[in-house]
Amino acid sequence: MDENAPADTLPDFRNLGVTVRILLLGNIGGFAAALMQSRSFAQIVPQFAEIAAVLEPVLLLSLVALYVLSKWLMRLPYAWGIAVVMFMEAVWTALVLDAGRVAGEAVTPFALARAWMLCALLTAFVAAYFFWRRRAYSPALTEARLQALQARIRPHFLFNSINAVLSLIRSEPKRAEEALEDLAELFRALMQDNRRLSTLADELALCRQYLNLEQLRLGERLRVEWDIATMPEDALVPQLLLQPLVENAIFHGIEPGTEPGTVRICIALDKNQVRVLLSNPYHPDFQHRVGNRMALANIRERLALHFDVEASLATEVAGDRFEIRIVLPYRRQD
């Protein structure tokens, strides 16, 4: 998904989940057409076979073309993108029918018109599904949850950060100034439009600023281990991917403990995937009552919106540590 893509755009046709959905929806639409055109139950299978003889080659040719043209199509205004796809489907349908004519099957103008009508209806059906799905998963609808998450972050975090800065103003004015700059940058990021994608480098910088502020409050109790030697800094990820997870790691893993605790952050490129592992100490007997499911649910929704089935988020308790694993495709800004 293009970082600067408008609210309504065509889906990312390079995405595996989108490809599978197009194949399924196309065949469901073809089967529905066979049902409507059949006069008896016995006619359904041969009718669907007749439709599939045209439908399957058109679907496969379309998927290849959409994969190649995906980046260009996503830059077009939504209406123009739909029009281009409709035209392309009509061309593929005509070419497949023409190939059938060469093979010895007669193609009448009525048959061509019927095929074009079916093609247009199927394309509109698939386009409507993806439009509905994007709206259903859109951050515009889940924004209330993100705002609730941010509202929880701000009072708790702001109070602690200001107290930490006040304690430094006289003894370490330079450090207090840097802390205020980090605080300003963090809240600037929280106020931004979270529907856009950000680079891992920017997310990591924001995460470090947050950790700098928490280090003022927790001191030696908070230790952070980084493993980011192979991290792709230009990888595109949803905004506020790391900071809420790091905040949860501190809130649930460091604050309840009486001893110093370590938050481990590992980000690596594995073939065409970005893998994120974040872990913190786990204290089952001293957990805060407030859970972290809101942050996890919000991140899952945004991963699904931007990357569909190619991204995942999983959690587990491994011994005395709580782990969050995120896998997402490696996408860069074109």
Side-chain angles (χ1 to χ4, degrees):
M1 180 173 294
D2 189 349
E3 180 182 0
N4 299 314
D8 292 330
T9 62
L10 293 176
D12 181 1
F13 295 111
R14 300 167 299 171
N15 187 283
L16 177 62
V18 171
T19 299
V20 172
R21 284 182 171 86
I22 291 174
L23 285 172
L24 288 175
L25 291 171
N27 282 281
I28 289 171
F31 187 75
L35 282 176
M36 289 186 291
Q37 295 180 30
S38 300
R39 296 182 178 179
S40 66
F41 184 79
Q43 290 183 337
I44 295 176
V45 173
Q47 188 67 49
F48 179 68
E50 180 183 339
I51 293 174
V54 177
L55 176 62
E56 303 305 330
V58 170
L59 277 174
L60 294 176
L61 289 169
S62 299
L63 288 173
V64 173
L66 290 172
Y67 182 92
V68 173
L69 299 175
S70 179
K71 295 180 182 178
W72 176 71
L73 286 170
M74 291 178 68
R75 296 191 188 101
L76 294 177
Y78 183 73
W80 278 100
I82 292 293
V84 170
V85 172
M86 284 280 193
F87 176 77
M88 183 174 63
E89 298 305 312
V91 171
W92 287 132
T93 301
L95 290 175
V96 169
L97 287 174
D98 190 61
R101 181 182 62 80
V102 172
E105 299 180 7
V107 180
T108 64
F110 174 76
L112 179 60
R114 188 181 69 170
W116 272 342
M117 182 176 296
L118 177 60
C119 170
L121 289 173
L122 282 177
T123 304
F125 169 60
V126 174
Y129 166 79
F130 281 110
F131 181 83
W132 167 84
R133 186 176 185 277
R134 183 178 179 87
R135 287 302 176 94
Y137 275 89
S138 172
L141 298 181
T142 60
E143 189 174 358
R145 297 183 190 179
L146 183 61
Q147 288 178 347
L149 170 65
Q150 292 172 353
R152 181 178 69 80
I153 292 172
R154 289 169 186 166
H156 166 263
F157 178 68
L158 182 61
F159 177 78
N160 291 328
S161 298
I162 290 177
N163 278 341
V165 171
L166 287 174
S167 68
L168 293 173
I169 287 180
R170 291 187 178 181
S171 60
E172 300 181 67
K174 180 61 176 177
R175 193 177 178 191
E177 181 182 351
E178 292 172 353
L180 286 174
E181 291 175 353
D182 288 338
L183 187 62
E185 281 298 309
L186 180 61
F187 276 88
R188 182 185 62 80
L190 290 173
M191 297 294 289
Q192 285 181 347
D193 182 1
N194 66 87
R195 290 173 294 182
R196 297 182 180 275
L197 292 173
S198 175
T199 64
L200 258 180
D202 289 341
E203 287 297 297
L204 200 65
L206 180 68
C207 197
R208 288 185 187 277
Q209 289 169 331
Y210 172 79
L211 286 168
N212 288 340
L213 290 166
E214 287 289 50
Q215 198 83 58
L216 292 176
R217 180 171 66 94
L218 297 170
E220 292 299 319
R221 288 183 59 200
L222 172 60
R223 299 172 181 174
V224 183
E225 290 184 1
W226 298 92
D227 183 3
I228 55 174
T230 61
M231 182 192 79
E233 295 188 353
D234 58 349
L236 293 176
V237 299
Q239 284 189 352
L240 291 178
L241 176 72
L242 296 178
Q243 187 273 333
L245 297 180
V246 172
E247 190 206 8
N248 278 333
I250 294 173
F251 188 64
H252 296 281
I254 305 301
E255 289 185 0
T258 57
E259 300 293 328
T262 302
V263 174
R264 297 192 181 106
I265 302 171
C266 175
I267 308 175
L269 179 63
D270 180 14
K271 296 180 181 178
N272 241 356
Q273 291 182 320
V274 178
R275 296 183 177 272
V276 179
L277 170 62
L278 191 147
S279 72
N280 57 265
Y282 181 64
H283 308 284
D285 298 328
F286 300 98
Q287 286 295 294
H288 290 292
R289 290 185 177 272
V290 180
N292 62 359
R293 297 302 172 187
M294 184 183 294
L296 295 178
N298 181 270
I299 291 172
R300 278 197 181 97
E301 288 179 358
R302 288 187 288 137
L303 287 172
L305 172 71
H306 291 291
F307 302 113
D308 208 293
V309 298
E310 292 185 345
S312 64
L313 185 154
T315 63
E316 67 173 334
V317 176
D320 60 350
R321 298 190 68 81
F322 181 80
E323 296 183 348
I324 298 175
R325 297 177 183 272
I326 298 176
V327 179
L328 62 160
Y330 179 32
R331 297 277 191 268
R332 294 177 294 179
Q333 181 64 49
D334 299 321

